[in-house]
Amino acid sequence: QVQLVESGGGSVQPGGSLRLSCTAPGFTSNSCGMVWYRQAAGKQREWVSSISTEGSTSYADSVKGRFTISKDKAKDTVYLQMNSLKPEDTAMYSCGTPTCIYCRGDVCYTVINLRGQGTQVTVSS
């Protein structure tokens, strides 16, 4: 079963930085657009950033200029570099893919709307 696993969350002071990672342990991915979401306590999940299969990126206005999404094909990992963090960035951050092909050896699976469990980011002084 393909699972997305996020890591890199933690507690930082305002103005600090964190880098989140997202990977599917044991699988290699093909032709995947990836997305980062976040959900603060008591609020709806919101889209944060996306990276397409071709590498084009997009960001929510609230994080534009501060967050950077990237993909390391060799490590099959998607990152979210978060700089100049603000208390309002506090949330559970999760990664996802609208559709992707994951392979383990010769066996491949097509997943639709897969999302990880998330990693907590807390920004406070």
Side-chain angles (χ1 to χ4, degrees):
Q1 185 178 1
V2 183
Q3 291 185 328
L4 291 175
V5 178
E6 304 91 341
S7 61
S11 295
V12 295
Q13 293 186 339
S17 298
L18 285 173
R19 188 178 77 161
L20 307 183
S21 301
C22 171
T23 188
F27 292 88
T28 56
S29 63
N30 294 285
S31 303
C32 301
M34 299 298 294
V35 184
W36 282 99
Y37 304 96
R38 68 185 182 186
Q39 186 168 17
K43 295 187 177 181
Q44 289 189 332
R45 179 165 55 99
E46 64 173 337
W47 168 76
V48 175
S49 180
S50 298
I51 186 166
S52 73
T53 55
E54 296 80 16
S56 61
T57 60
S58 55
Y59 301 91
D61 288 342
S62 58
V63 306
K64 199 172 294 183
R66 300 187 297 122
F67 290 11
T68 303
I69 190 171
S70 62
K71 186 188 303 184
D72 185 327
K73 291 183 178 180
K75 295 183 179 180
D76 221 344
T77 300
V78 176
Y79 300 101
L80 185 67
Q81 177 67 45
M82 306 187 296
N83 299 328
S84 302
L85 282 162
K86 305 175 181 180
E88 51 263 43
D89 294 319
T90 296
M92 180 71 76
Y93 286 72
S94 59
C95 65
T97 179
T99 182
C100 185
I101 299 172
Y102 287 97
C103 298
R104 173 180 281 168
D106 294 332
V107 181
C108 296
Y109 306 88
T110 300
V111 299
I112 298 174
N113 293 329
L114 180 67
R115 189 160 56 91
Q117 292 295 311
T119 184
Q120 178 67 36
V121 172
T122 302
V123 185
S124 69
S125 54

